[in-house]
Amino acid sequence: MNDKAHLLIVDDEAVVRDSLAKWFQEEGFDVSAAMNAQEALAKMAAQHFDLALVDIKMPGIDGVELQSRMHEIDPEMVVIIMTGYASVETAVAALKNGAYDYVSKPFDPDDIAHTVRNALSHRNVERENTRLRETVATMTQPKEFVGQSPAMMGVFESIQTVGPTETTVLIRGESGTGKELCARAIHAASSRRLNPLVVLHCGALTESLLESELFGHEKGAFTGAQYRRKGTFETAAGGTVFLDEIGDINLKTQSDLLRVLQEREITRVGSSRPISVDFRCIAATNKDLEALVKAGTFRADLYYRVNVFPVQLSPLRERRSDIPLLVDHFVRKFSGAMNKRISRVSPAAMDLLERYSWPGNVRELENAVERAMVVAREPELQEQDFSVQASAAPECTRRSLESVEQAHVLSVIEDCQGNQTLAAEILDIDRVTLHNKLKKYGWRKTTAGAP
Amino acid sequence: MNSIQLLPIGTVDQSLLERLSKALTAEFIAGCEVLESAPEPSFALNMARQQYSSTEILASMTDRPVSAEARILAVTSVDLYIPILTFVFGEAQLNGRCAVVSTSRLRQEFYGLPANASLLVERLVKESVHELGHTLGISHCVNYECVMASSHAVELIDLKQRSFCRACRARALAFRK
């Protein structure tokens, strides 16, 4: 238990020192004694002590002052003040100064034994807590955010700059560029890192479901609401809320969300009582929010509220120099997970990967490497292990103007969910021109704009 | 240790001493004799506390001629203290020859309860073995059932056995050799 804990007894009366030292020795402690503050501080400089019993009334430096000096040397040491008379004033002064407890002389043996034992176990719990917090802090460092290209260096710098602040961040980038990883890195760089990061994919939820996800609901608020449920903002208490695909939220929820971001208050569905919430907001989108604002499908005030500190993640095709680094990272990751001894990629295969356009970005690259790792033979990944081979043919930079235009027009119309007015506005051409181009490229509105 | 001398200080019930003597003989496998009573230890009385200093009683005993292999255990009915604590059940010289125990707080009457003679003997035996254990150089034991467990209250004395745990018995035997 607490055997061989080191105790320091400081008292100017020899009889007190001797009898306490003897008693604690019998209790199984390693005991040292000092007759005044100077001697006590000298002993502390030479040896580590877990706990000190300090008499409050001593010539020269008194117990309260000594206790402060002891904590300057070793803030973790437990100090218990001994008083001749149980005077409230001195005891309060000692406790205010950081003493763990005070005991009045003479001690009841049972009381002093309990006090010392509790003090030591309290100190041990505190120490363990600090150690666990440090462990958690290292565990929350995202390890997968890889890159050395100028674009990524810029992103890392932004994360370090904005991370420790409370600023709302808007992460923009194509799907698969690592928006969630970026959000995690920002959360990990903030003082909120020991509190939760709650991720909400707004695009995946219907209007009413999104509302109850965000704000929670009371029991019986709607059919199926059998229990009271906390929403994202409440769950994130003290942490960060990551709203992914914020461009997909409908107008009604947008106005609710705006209110939460402004007031830092939520009202559960089915309740009228506002609850104050403490969170930091990070949002992400792959949509052109400005265009959505122009088209009237995204509230301008919410846009300004969210777009405080934008972080732009470049698509992989614009930072090809990171591809070997990423491939290497994924190979190491999967070789460990699959227990396969593959540690390199053949030059031909790497060349293929570097030339491919990666429309699905890093996520697509990760999946391609994973698939290749499954089929590959040890010890290296070959060109034929990658299924991207066929589609790798059209090299990105050597394409006709028409094929680039076709790809761009089609991607914009898809992005606008078939809304030709909006797409024409983004492309800055008139609707008739767009209509003709779509016809030429054989586009048909098949999905009726449903996500 | 080959013999134990029991020294009654002040008035101590003779039958209590005899029962203690038997128990100690059994526990230590050593001869145990009851010495002639010493007078009340007025020299150790603290008037303000109305208690007797166990340390001073121990000091007065060191003059007695006792062989290196013998131990002397004083038994008294007065209430004992050491300056820093409100009371002690007993005190011993760690690795020394003298020890003292008090029956004062072992009696149920002290706590306002009806007298219980056999419980008093049981507690006295435990405390006596405990203090004699200290003279054999044994510190407090973390095993709460071992007689060397530290007891700051009678409830804790009642909880433990009257004999050493295996580890403490080994220490006691090692000392004897």
Side-chain angles (χ1 to χ4, degrees), chain B residues 90-107:
Chain B
E91 191 184 346
Q93 296 170 329
L94 196 66
N95 275 320
R97 281 182 214 142
C98 307
V100 57
V101 288
S102 161
T103 58
S104 171
R105 292 183 190 242
L106 302 181
R107 294 177 186 279

Side-chain angles (χ1 to χ4, degrees), chain A residues 159-282:
Chain A
I159 291 171
Q160 290 313 317
T161 310
V162 78
T165 68
E166 288 287 301
T167 308
T168 302
V169 181
L170 177 64
I171 305 168
R172 317 187 66 159
E174 288 180 10
S175 134
T177 47
K179 295 188 287 294
E180 186 172 333
L181 269 184
C182 179
R184 288 192 183 280
I186 293 170
H187 176 71
S190 74
S191 58
R192 296 172 173 270
R193 64 184 174 278
L194 298 176
N195 294 318
L197 170 81
V198 183
V199 181
L200 192 70
H201 299 279
C202 306
L205 300 163
T206 64
E207 183 179 336
S208 60
L209 207 52
L210 180 60
E211 211 181 344
S212 92
E213 273 298 322
L214 285 174
F215 312 121
H217 57 73
E218 293 292 335
K219 184 179 172 182
F222 48 83
T223 317
Q226 291 179 331
Y227 305 100
R228 193 163 88 173
R229 187 176 185 283
K230 278 187 182 179
T232 305
F233 292 108
E234 269 186 276
T235 319
T240 305
V241 173
F242 175 51
L243 301 170
D244 201 2
E245 298 168 45
I246 196 168
D248 293 352
I249 302 179
N250 64 64
L251 281 166
K252 157 82 175 67
T253 316
Q254 280 177 32
S255 73
D256 291 341
L257 186 60
L258 179 66
R259 213 184 56 238
V260 178
L261 294 179
Q262 272 171 346
E263 312 293 333
R264 303 272 146 178
E265 262 184 8
I266 55 140
T267 309
R268 290 193 191 126
V269 177
S271 162
S272 55
R273 190 169 56 89
I275 302 165
S276 67
V277 281
D278 170 31
F279 66 92
R280 186 222 194 137
C281 179
I282 301 176

Side-chain angles (χ1 to χ4, degrees), chain B residues 5-153:
Chain B
Q5 298 177 345
L6 290 184
L7 172 68
I9 297 183
T11 343
V12 183
D13 180 20
Q14 193 62 31
S15 71
L16 190 62
L17 289 169
E18 277 163 20
R19 290 170 75 179
L20 174 61
S21 165
K22 265 188 200 159
L24 292 179
T25 306
E27 184 57 36
F28 287 98
I29 320 170
C32 187
E33 66 168 317
V34 180
L35 302 176
E36 202 172 305
S37 287
E40 287 268 336
S42 52
F43 58 91
L45 175 66
N46 181 318
M47 287 300 284
R49 295 181 62 152
Q50 283 299 301
Q51 286 177 304
Y52 294 76
S53 162
S54 56
T55 313
E56 285 178 41
I57 294 176
L58 277 184
S60 76
M61 288 160 63
T62 47
D63 301 340
R64 286 179 174 265
V66 186
S67 80
E69 284 301 298
R71 293 292 180 274
I72 175 161
L73 174 69
V75 183
T76 180
S77 57
V78 299
D79 193 19
L80 302 176
Y81 79 97
I82 61 171
I84 196 63
L85 296 181
T86 47
F87 75 93
V88 288
F89 290 122
E91 191 184 346
Q93 296 170 329
L94 196 66
N95 275 320
R97 281 182 214 142
C98 307
V100 57
V101 288
S102 161
T103 58
S104 171
R105 292 183 190 242
L106 302 181
R107 294 177 186 279
Q108 286 290 73
E109 302 92 297
F110 185 89
Y111 307 96
L113 298 169
N116 184 331
S118 60
L119 188 58
L120 173 62
V121 175
E122 193 61 28
R123 287 172 178 173
L124 181 62
V125 169
K126 287 174 184 173
E127 273 312 287
S128 300
V129 174
H130 181 96
E131 296 304 339
L132 287 169
H134 282 321
T135 68
L136 298 181
I138 307 171
S139 307
H140 283 162
C141 181
V142 289
N143 179 349
Y144 70 94
E145 287 194 316
C146 173
V147 75
M148 292 312 291
S150 106
S151 315
H152 315 122

Side-chain angles (χ1 to χ4, degrees), chain A residues 15-16 19-20 22-23 26-27 105-110 113 117, chain B residues 49 82-87 91-92 134 139-140 150 152-153 156:
Chain A
V15 66
V16 172
S19 61
L20 259 188
K22 180 169 179 264
W23 192 75
E26 282 174 9
E27 292 285 307
K105 293 192 254 183
F107 316 137
D108 182 281
D110 212 21
R117 212 174 298 135
Chain B
R49 295 181 62 152
I82 61 171
I84 196 63
L85 296 181
T86 47
F87 75 93
E91 191 184 346
H134 282 321
S139 307
H140 283 162
S150 106
H152 315 122
L156 294 173

